[in-house]
Amino acid sequence: MERNTFEMYWSYYLSIEKMMKITSQYVCPSELNKNAYSDEFMKIILLSCSEIDSILKVICRENNVLLEDRKYNMSIYAKTLSSQKDIKDMAYSPQCATSSANKGIICFPFKDLDDKKLHAGLTWWRDYQKLKHNRLDNAELGNLENAVCAITAHYILLRILMDMLPENSGREYVKEKYWSDYLVICI
């Protein structure tokens, strides 16, 4: 992957993260509020998960998981994430918390990843699919917890993409300087 491509993914993540930070002015990111839902959370989930889908396609291609007849889906992504040790370590181990004086929300977005389960066992991805296909009937799924899981997964996958940058493109600089302003990473 070329650095300019990565920079586009990173810039878009930052714009979504900025939207998430603004919601903190109205809903404190805490366990007490995790079921609070809004159009803003729904928008964040839809945007972030759409990017997750794009990033996972890149990760698959970079790992030579190429499909001719079938389309990529979360089951294929889950197989790719769980088959590569370095990817698996990155995707499974980081926990992220929202920064909040009220304990925040701790999130392990890939903890239940299982390619044999529907939606790869990821509740937040299942809820994204429901929102994508019928927002009006599933508005309550556009909640704070799903938004936090979506941007956390998005961020973790960007960290994986960083490792796929060529060494001569400033990979070490990117890994050192590009961090979340919303999430507190607890590795």
Side-chain angles (χ1 to χ4, degrees):
M1 159 181 289
E2 295 301 316
R3 177 144 174 206
N4 61 343
T5 303
F6 173 79
E7 293 290 344
M8 289 188 295
Y9 283 117
W10 182 253
S11 293
Y12 199 58
Y13 167 78
L14 290 177
S15 70
I16 296 169
E17 183 182 78
K18 184 177 180 181
M19 289 188 292
M20 193 69 189
K21 285 171 59 175
I22 291 169
T23 68
S24 298
Q25 295 174 15
Y26 308 101
V27 179
C28 179
S30 75
E31 284 290 325
L32 297 172
N33 294 327
K34 69 181 182 180
N35 293 320
Y37 63 95
S38 72
D39 288 344
E40 285 302 304
F41 292 139
M42 186 183 312
K43 180 170 64 174
I44 289 164
I45 293 163
L46 291 169
L47 291 171
S48 201
C49 287
S50 177
E51 276 297 284
I52 287 169
D53 191 41
S54 295
I55 292 167
L56 283 166
K57 285 176 185 163
V58 171
I59 291 172
C60 283
R61 286 188 214 114
E62 291 287 323
N63 284 280
N64 297 314
V65 178
L66 306 172
L67 299 178
E68 291 179 23
D69 298 354
R70 297 179 35 210
K71 294 184 178 184
Y72 289 103
N73 60 44
M74 189 50 82
S75 178
I76 292 165
Y77 300 148
K79 285 179 189 173
T80 302
L81 288 174
S82 58
S83 69
Q84 306 288 322
K85 183 181 180 348
D86 57 333
I87 293 175
K88 184 177 180 179
D89 289 346
M90 183 71 174
Y92 286 101
S93 63
Q95 68 182 29
C96 297
T98 57
S99 46
S100 167
N102 198 6
K103 299 187 182 175
I105 296 175
I106 296 175
C107 178
F108 296 88
F110 296 107
K111 179 182 71 162
D112 298 322
L113 190 69
D114 183 344
D115 63 88
K116 292 170 183 48
K117 292 183 179 176
L118 185 61
H119 305 295
L122 304 175
T123 305
W124 58 270
W125 188 261
R126 179 203 63 208
D127 291 351
Y128 157 64
Q129 294 296 323
K130 288 181 179 181
L131 284 170
K132 182 173 71 169
H133 295 290
N134 192 344
R135 303 193 300 279
L136 299 177
D137 288 345
N138 296 297
E140 72 283 353
L141 298 177
N143 60 47
L144 174 62
E145 183 175 37
N146 282 334
V148 168
C149 284
I151 68 161
T152 302
H154 190 169
Y155 178 79
I156 289 169
L157 293 172
L158 283 169
R159 299 298 300 179
I160 290 170
L161 276 188
M162 286 178 190
D163 285 332
M164 295 178 174
L165 290 170
E167 285 184 40
N168 64 353
S169 69
R171 177 175 57 194
E172 291 309 313
Y173 174 83
V174 169
K175 288 173 66 176
E176 181 182 327
K177 301 292 182 186
Y178 289 35
W179 291 95
S180 173
D181 287 334
Y182 180 78
L183 301 169
V184 176
I185 310 305
C186 313
I187 299 177

